[in-house]
């Protein structure tokens, strides 16, 4: 997390300044915050399902130990289908 925040701040601080276009060949059509948000949304949208599954694993393991694997799997599948990971 600290590395992501550091990278975000570095990109925001290095955003091209429209007043200094004569000194650099960088196009300022897309701001650095838009570019960084696009990159992060692409990276983390892939992992959203992984994080949802991982956060539900303690309840899955508890249900498996208390009852059986089938009951735990059915409950986990219901949570997955309804997007109610509690």
């Amino acid at each position: 997390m600290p590395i992501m925040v550091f990278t975000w701040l570095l990109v925001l601080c290095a955003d091209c300044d429209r007043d200094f276009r004569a000194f650099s060949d960088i196009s300022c059509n897309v701001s650095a915050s838009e570019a960084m948000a696009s990159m992060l949304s692409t990276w983390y949208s892939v992992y959203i399902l992984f994080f949802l599954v991982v956060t539900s694993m303690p309840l899955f393991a508890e249900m498996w130990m208390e009852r059986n694997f089938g009951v735990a799997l059915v409950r986990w599948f219901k949570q997955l289908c309804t997007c109610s990971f509690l």
Side-chain angles (χ1 to χ4, degrees):
M1 189 71 169
I3 293 174
M4 184 178 71
V5 172
F6 173 74
T7 307
W8 180 270
L9 289 175
L10 186 67
V11 168
L12 288 180
C13 290
D15 193 13
C16 65
D17 192 2
R18 299 185 192 281
D19 297 333
F20 296 110
R21 277 193 181 164
F23 299 110
S24 66
D25 296 332
I26 300 172
S27 173
C28 294
N29 294 335
V30 178
S31 67
S33 58
E34 289 176 12
M36 192 69 177
S38 174
M39 181 200 64
L40 288 175
S41 68
T42 302
W43 284 2
Y44 289 109
S45 64
V46 174
Y47 297 115
I48 190 73
L49 183 63
F50 172 74
F51 287 122
L52 288 174
V53 169
V54 168
T55 57
S56 67
M57 282 298 117
L59 179 62
F60 178 80
E62 181 180 350
M63 293 288 290
W64 186 4
M65 288 187 298
E66 289 179 357
R67 296 188 182 170
N68 61 21
F69 182 76
V71 172
L73 191 62
V74 168
R75 182 177 173 125
W76 180 80
F77 189 69
K78 284 181 187 176
Q79 287 178 346
L80 182 68
C81 290
T82 59
C83 292
S84 60
F85 293 92
L86 296 176

